[in-house]
Amino acid sequence: MSYNMFGRALRFMTWGESHGPAIGAIVDGCPPGLELSESDIQPWLDRRRPGASRFTTQRREPDQVRILSGLFEGRTTGTPISLAIDNVDQRSKDYGEIAAAYRPGHADYAYDAKYGLRDWRGGGRSSARETASRVAAGAVARLIVPEVTIRAYVVEIGGDAIDRSAFDDSAIEANPFFCPDPAAAERWEKLIDDVRKAGSSVGAVVECVATGVPPGWGAPVYAKLDSELAAACMSINAVKGVEIGDGFAAARARGEDNADPMRAGPAFLANHAGGIAGGISTGQPVVVRVAFKPTSSILTPVPTIDRTGAETEISTKGRHDPCVGIRGAPVVEAMMAFVLADQKLLHRAQCG
Amino acid sequence: MSYNMFGRALRFMTWGESHGPAIGAIVDGCPPGLELSESDIQPWLDRRRPGASRFTTQRREPDQVRILSGLFEGRTTGTPISLAIDNVDQRSKDYGEIAAAYRPGHADYAYDAKYGLRDWRGGGRSSARETASRVAAGAVARLIVPEVTIRAYVVEIGGDAIDRSAFDDSAIEANPFFCPDPAAAERWEKLIDDVRKAGSSVGAVVECVATGVPPGWGAPVYAKLDSELAAACMSINAVKGVEIGDGFAAARARGEDNADPMRAGPAFLANHAGGIAGGISTGQPVVVRVAFKPTSSILTPVPTIDRTGAETEISTKGRHDPCVGIRGAPVVEAMMAFVLADQKLLHRAQCG
Amino acid sequence: MSYNMFGRALRFMTWGESHGPAIGAIVDGCPPGLELSESDIQPWLDRRRPGASRFTTQRREPDQVRILSGLFEGRTTGTPISLAIDNVDQRSKDYGEIAAAYRPGHADYAYDAKYGLRDWRGGGRSSARETASRVAAGAVARLIVPEVTIRAYVVEIGGDAIDRSAFDDSAIEANPFFCPDPAAAERWEKLIDDVRKAGSSVGAVVECVATGVPPGWGAPVYAKLDSELAAACMSINAVKGVEIGDGFAAARARGEDNADPMRAGPAFLANHAGGIAGGISTGQPVVVRVAFKPTSSILTPVPTIDRTGAETEISTKGRHDPCVGIRGAPVVEAMMAFVLADQKLLHRAQCG
Amino acid sequence: MSYNMFGRALRFMTWGESHGPAIGAIVDGCPPGLELSESDIQPWLDRRRPGASRFTTQRREPDQVRILSGLFEGRTTGTPISLAIDNVDQRSKDYGEIAAAYRPGHADYAYDAKYGLRDWRGGGRSSARETASRVAAGAVARLIVPEVTIRAYVVEIGGDAIDRSAFDDSAIEANPFFCPDPAAAERWEKLIDDVRKAGSSVGAVVECVATGVPPGWGAPVYAKLDSELAAACMSINAVKGVEIGDGFAAARARGEDNADPMRAGPAFLANHAGGIAGGISTGQPVVVRVAFKPTSSILTPVPTIDRTGAETEISTKGRHDPCVGIRGAPVVEAMMAFVLADQKLLHRAQCG
């Protein structure tokens, strides 16, 4: 069974393949009366758009979103919001080779093993192009949580991390890497240029912080706020790890060092927990960190097999991102927005 | 809204508080005709049972499971399986202090912020005692995936990691730490003794590997196998991070180094992906790694506030685990078993 | 796949078989802070209890409910509420014959066809005994909708209908048939006595009215209030039809005769719609009518087959209700309460 | 919260308003490898299409469906199938009056009460136009259950029922009423002409029979096959009642008369149960009957209120169906197909 929907009280279902006529999403459960137009969505899509700099894939997609339902006189009606984005710049012939052979690290073999067939054009449904639908749905979700500010940025590329002491909020949108440390951004420019020229790829770590989340969102035990965030982020293409707050570093700490003492306010003297305790928000910033692997699309030939099981090798010549984690930042933001909006509605349902 | 259920085709819903009369779970959607009795569940509960060694909480719970429904003449009937475990060794008075003040790092404040009241006795619903219900449900799930072997072990405590070259499968059950490296187990014994005597606590990393998973389980996009595992593991008490395969290390790698080349068989020459590509199993071992924070229950007084908002401090005198990650290993195993059983049934639904 | 759960924002999952040790339910998603004890549930169970008069099955079950979780100091905590009812008066040997042969009209053959085995003792999971769990869960739901008054009564037994002009609200609890027309109750007493002595059975129609439902509960298109009520009622054992408002009579009417004109207030001059338009409550009384078939448990031998497929015949000698519709009234009430409580929470989630 | 999705293992989510640019649906969970093109869907849409005869609404919609995703080389891939149908013949100005005043019997008042605003153009989301999306989704579902034959027909209009002894399968598509009794079809022609000329409307009863359903589909207790069918049918616009098998007539019968005796085969000597026992299919034809009310769109002025609460009256001048039940037949068929396909997949998940 395939699942193409995310969310509980607020839900979105996405559809579409990399080289089909279009992609899109339906957002269901949106509260009525919110002002919404394409201009509320387009800027977020533009941030994620391919081809915006030489550091991302050279596929040129305008990613113009159309709202097909759920609006009346500029406001949401509470009925499903259908969002569509046309595919414009498909070049399926670039991908001819992958019709026959499996790209190791890609979904090619797993899809064939599951379904017995696959749309190999540009990766079909497994393409990162699907994340545009998430960004569009996330833009709607943002309207539901205006009290929350969400910011994602890249903290590490290929093992080269930012200097936390140089963190500059205003730098994030000033370079093509969503990098809050201008010096790191300069280093990364050279790094990605090298990687791109070598036909290689490199991984990255994205961090996302949501401020303004009131205490009490989330749930005990199974739809915990952190559990939902983990599911949301791990569902993004190329993601292999998710941390909340101190994450794996907390596993190396003593209880005394990991404590978040409280003072009147309530205020917290630390935020090792990343704003979540027992699955429920504490009122501190919600912090998630996400590991993106290097894309498996590289020029170096890799041993593989073809659909008949015979051994061969493959190198990827199609257009692709040398570092998918960069464009992952707007996607992580969108998923954070969606999870928080969903949890806000769920909290309201049970606790009024 | 609270969610106390996990799973899609196969589901379990748990109930119960640390100091209530009992805890339990219903498993719904189990295939019919499977041989099942209490003796299929009890050994797994015994592995997780508190009080089994001096390295875990001293609460003494026999954790005897009773099956109340869903069986006929020793086989599952396809109807819901109700599992109950009596609570025996509650000592609510140990916890009197936490009725009034919030333990930083615990769910106390968040629960009050959400619900306006909480069962403070032993942590109520937020107690790790709930994980016994998961282990019981996971034991049923194991019967649905007899082709799969699942093994979890602790690879790191307080920053002290095992030596991978000394990995000995048979050592795992031979020490109280589920540790595959006998030398590390010896070091950890001293470490935990020190931590316990100091009234402190320490974090740990659990790794879980499932072998025998055929290619094709999982789903593209949202209920991906890795996404489901991330949700399952992040929902366990004290977990702050989840990795699949190389996880965060992949974010530091080049594409060439992260490739899993394929040979006829099909066989793979590496498993950086942790057995999952595009959200679907590849037939390689499924590998997940989980970070447990040090429990916040420590003797050192920590600044906090009480229910009126006034400042105070608190130290935890109740019985607790100096390293919750140790008993986390059987819980991670149970969640792995449940996710795989669920995905097996989901795959069968769509792909026959 | 079996589904033993009902509801969306508010959910209950039931478990248990007719002749197992106990039956029960978990209610998940209940708002916190509601006063609740066994005494809020027991009276509703007593109304449904078997053996209360000679017009129902002679099985004697005290149906004492125990609350095992989700309460603290007499109030709901927002965590799952586990409800258990012991089975006391099983006589499995009465049912020996049905182990081998299928009772036409019962679930025996269908269960075997689906699952390959079944718990034949007293009908196992398909027994109407499961409805006690619904009544218990419905009693919790009532606390969530204190603004609503729900009343179910029997309007027809064996084709003998009440006189609507003689409708007396106070009569409903004054006879063993939940009959609002005292004269009909007298006729039914003789009718059921005759049916019972003849070892036969007879059908009935139950009507349920909820007053105090505000306008706006429900949803367009798929989880409509009427659609949810239809699912809820059709899931009750022996139910074969559900109507909202005028129901099938509306199919015979002209538009002019079926109109519910509105006046200031807002007030309605009629209620052909049964309080629901476009799937959403209008503020008028919500009216549902439910058809119960005669139970298939009759003394007259009926041709059937055994598990080997060989022809035989069967007559039912076990204890049973001559008219299951009578005890259906409290069950319909419970399902109405649960659907309305769920819709109240769902409405709050989306519309605040 | 609004729900615009139906189904469990197989799901569809619909979107769109009567006078928006388009309507559509996503079908998620479809098995891979099924041959599918627009030509598999279009004939079913054409049967439901408005403006096909003078007995339906005069709105002219070509209802051309486009498949936007989920196909590769003419076969389903297991990924979501996005279906879109453009709206062509909107005349919003016809509906100007209903912007201000509520049409009794329509969803106008309930939507405003729920959402605080509504898209009044042609009824917006509450328009029967949404059912085109259902018919498209149902056409996909049919491919999943090729072993099943589904046929819906009208058995009664305005209280004038067909003669069952004159039932002629081949007549159903030979008249504009889906009527299996040619003599009744002639009477209805005159009846609908009269109703239409009078600016009135009339109700109808649709029956739907599925043959070829194997025993074992469905579930005990809550997602029963009959419960799912009831939910599916009651969610169709204007439906006020649902019966399975003998339905309300069973409530008037004795147990002896309602029995479905079994013989070797297995074969049944009757089908009072409508092919479902204990929520599970028996292998007999599945029979559902659905009551459609007369549409509330009539020329006769009806007292009502406007959005300010002031009293007024309204008559509907827009294009509409004099008998919505007629075009309901293809919609009931689609919902039957979808429920059966879903249950087939669910059965396969649990029982292999």
Side-chain angles (χ1 to χ4, degrees):
Chain A
M1 191 152 32
S2 69
Y3 277 97
N4 293 280
M5 190 174 75
F6 187 84
R8 297 171 188 266
L10 184 72
R11 298 165 294 279
F12 70 92
M13 186 183 272
T14 73
W15 57 271
E17 283 85 30
S18 179
H19 289 208
I23 60 172
I26 307 176
V27 178
D28 192 21
C30 183
L34 303 175
E35 289 192 16
L36 173 67
S37 74
E38 277 87 353
S39 66
D40 292 299
I41 302 175
Q42 198 60 51
W44 305 108
L45 281 170
D46 291 345
R47 285 179 79 222
R48 181 212 152 274
R49 194 153 50 87
S53 81
R54 72 175 186 274
F55 307 105
T56 62
T57 175
Q58 293 310 299
R59 179 168 172 172
R60 305 272 170 189
E61 287 290 349
D63 277 356
Q64 292 294 316
V65 67
R66 285 173 297 136
I67 303 175
L68 298 175
S69 67
L71 284 190
F72 186 66
E73 297 178 346
R75 287 191 295 158
T76 59
T77 57
T79 59
I81 300 167
S82 181
L83 306 166
I85 301 166
D86 286 334
N87 287 330
V88 169
D89 185 23
Q90 308 102 315
R91 294 193 205 155
S92 297
K93 66 181 185 315
D94 285 0
Y95 293 85
E97 191 173 26
I98 67 176
Y102 299 124
R103 294 169 298 169
H106 276 283
D108 303 346
Y109 170 70
Y111 267 58
D112 256 11
K114 182 175 192 71
Y115 297 119
L117 81 168
R118 73 194 146 95
D119 179 350
W120 49 261
R121 300 167 303 165
R125 182 71 180 148
S126 73
S127 165
R129 181 134 190 78
E130 187 268 347
T131 59
S133 299
R134 300 177 187 230
V135 170
V140 177
R142 285 173 198 266
L143 303 178
I144 300 168
V145 285
E147 64 271 58
V148 177
T149 302
I150 298 169
R151 170 141 280 189
Y153 39 87
V154 179
V155 293
E156 191 179 322
I157 291 186
D160 180 10
I162 62 164
D163 175 0
R164 292 273 171 178
S165 69
F167 198 106
D168 174 3
D169 224 51
S170 68
I172 296 174
E173 303 295 323
N175 62 71
F177 308 106
F178 304 108
C179 177
D181 168 4
E186 278 185 48
R187 298 195 305 271
W188 295 351
E189 186 166 330
K190 181 172 173 354
L191 171 65
I192 300 288
D193 269 336
D194 290 349
V195 164
R196 192 167 47 84
K197 284 168 191 161
S200 181
S201 65
V202 70
V205 177
V206 170
E207 186 170 280
C208 184
V209 177
T211 51
V213 179
W217 291 2
V221 188
Y222 294 105
K224 287 176 165 173
L225 179 51
D226 36 5
S227 176
E228 298 283 275
L229 284 171
C233 293
M234 197 67 95
S235 75
I236 301 170
N237 305 44
V239 170
K240 301 304 282 186
V242 180
E243 295 182 318
I244 305 293
D246 283 5
F248 277 85
R252 281 140 209 159
R254 290 279 172 118
E256 294 80 6
D257 305 319
N258 195 58
D260 294 328
M262 296 184 75
R263 296 286 77 189
F268 290 83
L269 304 183
N271 188 19
H272 299 289
I276 304 174
I280 298 170
S281 62
T282 62
Q284 288 188 285
V286 174
V287 181
V288 64
R289 222 162 10 260
V290 182
F292 287 82
K293 69 170 184 180
T295 174
S296 313
S297 302
I298 52 175
L299 269 179
T300 308
V302 182
T304 190
I305 58 174
D306 64 20
R307 292 201 65 178
T308 71
E311 300 190 345
T312 179
E313 60 182 27
I314 197 165
S315 69
T316 308
K317 301 184 196 72
R319 302 162 297 175
H320 62 83
D321 286 278
C323 177
V324 286
I326 298 171
R327 293 203 293 134
V331 182
V332 172
E333 270 192 13
M335 297 309 287
M336 171 73 90
F338 207 89
V339 167
L340 290 174
D342 189 20
Q343 292 288 354
K344 178 180 179 175
L345 302 191
L346 290 170
H347 178 67
R348 197 155 73 178
Q350 188 180 20
C351 299
Chain B
M1 191 152 33
S2 69
Y3 276 98
N4 292 280
M5 191 174 76
F6 187 84
R8 297 171 189 265
L10 183 71
R11 298 165 293 278
F12 70 91
M13 186 183 272
T14 74
W15 56 271
E17 283 85 29
S18 178
H19 288 207
I23 60 173
I26 306 176
V27 178
D28 193 20
C30 183
L34 303 175
E35 289 192 18
L36 173 66
S37 74
E38 276 88 352
S39 65
D40 292 300
I41 302 174
Q42 198 60 50
W44 305 109
L45 280 171
D46 291 345
R47 284 178 81 221
R48 182 212 151 274
R49 193 153 52 85
S53 80
R54 72 176 186 274
F55 307 104
T56 62
T57 174
Q58 294 308 298
R59 178 169 172 171
R60 305 274 169 187
E61 287 289 349
D63 276 357
Q64 291 293 316
V65 68
R66 285 174 296 137
I67 303 176
L68 298 175
S69 68
L71 285 189
F72 186 65
E73 297 179 345
R75 288 190 295 159
T76 59
T77 56
T79 58
I81 300 169
S82 180
L83 306 166
I85 300 167
D86 286 334
N87 287 330
V88 169
D89 185 23
Q90 309 100 314
R91 293 192 206 157
S92 297
K93 65 180 185 312
D94 286 0
Y95 293 85
E97 191 174 26
I98 66 176
Y102 299 125
R103 294 169 298 169
H106 277 282
D108 303 346
Y109 170 69
Y111 267 58
D112 256 11
K114 182 174 192 70
Y115 297 119
L117 81 169
R118 73 193 145 97
D119 179 351
W120 48 262
R121 299 166 305 165
R125 181 72 180 149
S126 73
S127 165
R129 183 138 188 76
E130 188 268 346
T131 60
S133 299
R134 300 178 186 230
V135 171
V140 176
R142 285 173 197 266
L143 303 178
I144 300 169
V145 286
E147 64 272 58
V148 177
T149 302
I150 299 168
R151 171 141 281 187
Y153 40 86
V154 179
V155 294
E156 191 178 323
I157 292 185
D160 180 11
I162 63 165
D163 175 359
R164 292 273 170 178
S165 69
F167 198 106
D168 175 2
D169 223 51
S170 68
I172 296 173
E173 303 296 323
N175 62 69
F177 307 106
F178 305 107
C179 177
D181 168 3
E186 277 186 49
R187 297 194 306 271
W188 294 352
E189 186 165 331
K190 182 172 171 349
L191 171 64
I192 301 288
D193 268 337
D194 290 348
V195 164
R196 192 167 46 84
K197 284 169 192 161
S200 181
S201 64
V202 70
V205 177
V206 170
E207 186 169 280
C208 183
V209 177
T211 51
V213 178
W217 291 2
V221 189
Y222 295 104
K224 287 176 164 173
L225 179 51
D226 36 4
S227 176
E228 298 283 274
L229 284 172
C233 293
M234 197 67 95
S235 76
I236 301 171
N237 305 47
V239 170
K240 301 305 284 185
V242 181
E243 295 182 318
I244 305 293
D246 283 5
F248 278 84
R252 283 140 207 158
R254 290 279 173 119
E256 295 79 7
D257 307 318
N258 195 56
D260 294 327
M262 296 184 74
R263 295 286 77 188
F268 290 83
L269 304 182
N271 189 19
H272 299 290
I276 304 173
I280 298 170
S281 61
T282 62
Q284 288 188 285
V286 174
V287 182
V288 64
R289 222 160 13 260
V290 182
F292 286 82
K293 70 171 183 180
T295 173
S296 314
S297 302
I298 52 175
L299 269 178
T300 308
V302 181
T304 190
I305 58 172
D306 64 21
R307 293 201 63 178
T308 70
E311 300 190 345
T312 178
E313 62 181 26
I314 197 164
S315 70
T316 308
K317 301 184 195 71
R319 301 163 298 177
H320 62 82
D321 286 278
C323 177
V324 287
I326 298 172
R327 294 204 292 135
V331 182
V332 172
E333 270 193 13
M335 297 310 286
M336 171 73 89
F338 207 89
V339 167
L340 290 173
D342 189 20
Q343 291 287 355
K344 178 180 179 175
L345 302 191
L346 290 169
H347 178 66
R348 196 155 75 180
Q350 188 180 20
C351 299
Chain C
M1 193 153 30
S2 70
Y3 277 98
N4 291 281
M5 191 173 74
F6 187 84
R8 297 170 189 265
L10 183 72
R11 300 165 293 279
F12 70 93
M13 186 182 272
T14 73
W15 56 272
E17 284 85 29
S18 179
H19 288 206
I23 60 172
I26 305 177
V27 178
D28 193 20
C30 183
L34 303 175
E35 290 193 16
L36 172 67
S37 73
E38 278 88 350
S39 66
D40 292 299
I41 302 174
Q42 198 59 51
W44 306 108
L45 281 171
D46 291 345
R47 285 178 81 221
R48 182 212 151 272
R49 191 152 53 84
S53 80
R54 72 176 187 273
F55 307 105
T56 64
T57 174
Q58 293 310 296
R59 179 168 173 173
R60 305 275 170 185
E61 287 290 349
D63 277 356
Q64 291 294 316
V65 69
R66 284 174 297 137
I67 302 176
L68 298 175
S69 68
L71 285 189
F72 186 66
E73 298 180 343
R75 287 190 295 159
T76 58
T77 57
T79 60
I81 301 167
S82 180
L83 306 166
I85 301 167
D86 286 334
N87 286 330
V88 170
D89 185 24
Q90 308 100 314
R91 293 190 205 158
S92 296
K93 66 180 187 311
D94 286 1
Y95 293 85
E97 191 173 26
I98 66 175
Y102 299 125
R103 294 169 300 169
H106 277 281
D108 304 346
Y109 170 70
Y111 267 58
D112 256 11
K114 183 175 192 70
Y115 296 119
L117 82 168
R118 73 194 146 96
D119 178 351
W120 49 261
R121 299 166 305 165
R125 181 74 180 148
S126 72
S127 164
R129 181 135 190 77
E130 187 268 346
T131 59
S133 298
R134 301 177 186 230
V135 171
V140 176
R142 285 173 197 266
L143 303 178
I144 300 168
V145 285
E147 65 271 57
V148 177
T149 302
I150 299 168
R151 170 139 281 186
Y153 40 86
V154 180
V155 294
E156 192 178 322
I157 291 185
D160 180 11
I162 62 163
D163 175 359
R164 292 274 171 175
S165 68
F167 198 105
D168 175 5
D169 223 52
S170 68
I172 296 172
E173 302 296 323
N175 62 69
F177 307 107
F178 304 106
C179 176
D181 168 4
E186 277 186 48
R187 298 194 305 270
W188 293 353
E189 184 166 333
K190 183 173 173 348
L191 171 65
I192 300 290
D193 269 336
D194 290 349
V195 164
R196 190 168 48 84
K197 284 170 191 160
S200 181
S201 65
V202 70
V205 177
V206 170
E207 187 169 280
C208 184
V209 177
T211 52
V213 178
W217 290 2
V221 188
Y222 294 105
K224 287 176 165 173
L225 178 52
D226 36 4
S227 177
E228 298 283 274
L229 284 171
C233 293
M234 197 67 94
S235 75
I236 301 170
N237 305 47
V239 169
K240 302 303 285 186
V242 180
E243 296 182 317
I244 304 293
D246 284 5
F248 278 84
R252 282 140 207 155
R254 291 280 174 116
E256 295 80 7
D257 306 320
N258 195 58
D260 294 328
M262 296 184 75
R263 295 287 77 189
F268 291 84
L269 305 183
N271 189 18
H272 299 290
I276 304 173
I280 298 170
S281 62
T282 61
Q284 288 188 287
V286 174
V287 181
V288 63
R289 221 160 13 257
V290 182
F292 287 83
K293 70 172 183 178
T295 175
S296 312
S297 301
I298 52 175
L299 269 179
T300 308
V302 181
T304 190
I305 59 173
D306 64 22
R307 293 200 64 178
T308 71
E311 300 190 346
T312 178
E313 62 182 26
I314 198 166
S315 70
T316 308
K317 300 183 195 75
R319 300 163 300 175
H320 62 84
D321 286 279
C323 178
V324 286
I326 297 171
R327 292 204 293 135
V331 181
V332 172
E333 270 191 13
M335 297 308 288
M336 171 73 89
F338 207 88
V339 167
L340 290 173
D342 189 21
Q343 292 287 355
K344 178 181 180 175
L345 301 191
L346 290 169
H347 178 66
R348 198 155 72 179
Q350 188 179 21
C351 300
Chain D
M1 193 150 33
S2 70
Y3 277 99
N4 292 281
M5 191 174 74
F6 187 84
R8 296 172 189 265
L10 184 72
R11 298 165 293 279
F12 70 92
M13 186 183 273
T14 73
W15 57 271
E17 284 84 30
S18 179
H19 289 208
I23 60 172
I26 305 176
V27 178
D28 192 21
C30 183
L34 303 176
E35 290 191 16
L36 172 68
S37 73
E38 277 88 352
S39 66
D40 293 299
I41 302 174
Q42 199 59 52
W44 306 109
L45 281 171
D46 291 344
R47 286 178 80 222
R48 182 212 151 274
R49 192 153 52 85
S53 80
R54 73 176 186 273
F55 308 106
T56 63
T57 174
Q58 292 310 297
R59 178 169 172 172
R60 305 274 169 189
E61 287 290 348
D63 277 356
Q64 291 294 316
V65 68
R66 285 172 297 137
I67 303 177
L68 298 175
S69 68
L71 285 189
F72 186 65
E73 296 178 348
R75 287 189 297 157
T76 59
T77 57
T79 58
I81 301 167
S82 180
L83 306 167
I85 301 167
D86 286 335
N87 287 329
V88 170
D89 185 24
Q90 308 101 314
R91 294 192 205 157
S92 296
K93 65 181 187 312
D94 286 1
Y95 293 85
E97 190 173 27
I98 66 177
Y102 299 125
R103 295 168 299 168
H106 277 282
D108 303 346
Y109 170 70
Y111 267 59
D112 255 11
K114 182 175 193 70
Y115 296 119
L117 82 169
R118 72 192 146 95
D119 179 350
W120 49 261
R121 300 166 303 165
R125 181 73 180 148
S126 73
S127 164
R129 181 134 190 77
E130 187 269 346
T131 59
S133 298
R134 301 176 186 231
V135 170
V140 176
R142 285 173 197 266
L143 303 177
I144 301 169
V145 285
E147 64 272 58
V148 177
T149 302
I150 299 168
R151 171 139 280 189
Y153 39 86
V154 179
V155 295
E156 192 178 322
I157 291 185
D160 180 11
I162 63 164
D163 176 359
R164 291 273 170 175
S165 69
F167 198 106
D168 175 3
D169 224 50
S170 68
I172 295 172
E173 304 295 324
N175 63 70
F177 308 107
F178 305 107
C179 176
D181 168 4
E186 278 186 48
R187 298 195 305 271
W188 294 352
E189 185 166 332
K190 182 173 171 352
L191 171 64
I192 300 289
D193 269 336
D194 290 350
V195 164
R196 192 168 46 85
K197 284 168 192 160
S200 181
S201 65
V202 71
V205 177
V206 170
E207 187 169 280
C208 183
V209 177
T211 52
V213 178
W217 290 3
V221 187
Y222 294 104
K224 288 176 164 173
L225 179 51
D226 36 4
S227 176
E228 298 283 274
L229 285 171
C233 293
M234 197 68 94
S235 76
I236 302 169
N237 305 44
V239 170
K240 301 302 284 186
V242 180
E243 294 182 319
I244 304 293
D246 283 5
F248 278 84
R252 282 141 207 155
R254 291 279 173 117
E256 296 80 7
D257 306 320
N258 195 58
D260 293 329
M262 297 184 75
R263 295 287 76 189
F268 291 83
L269 305 183
N271 188 19
H272 300 289
I276 304 173
I280 298 169
S281 62
T282 62
Q284 289 188 286
V286 174
V287 182
V288 64
R289 222 163 9 261
V290 182
F292 287 82
K293 70 171 184 179
T295 174
S296 313
S297 302
I298 52 176
L299 269 179
T300 309
V302 181
T304 190
I305 59 174
D306 64 22
R307 291 200 66 178
T308 70
E311 300 191 344
T312 178
E313 60 181 27
I314 198 164
S315 69
T316 310
K317 300 184 196 72
R319 302 162 298 176
H320 62 83
D321 287 278
C323 177
V324 287
I326 297 171
R327 293 203 293 136
V331 182
V332 172
E333 270 192 12
M335 297 309 287
M336 171 73 90
F338 207 89
V339 167
L340 290 173
D342 189 21
Q343 292 287 355
K344 178 181 180 175
L345 301 191
L346 290 170
H347 178 66
R348 198 154 73 178
Q350 187 179 22
C351 299

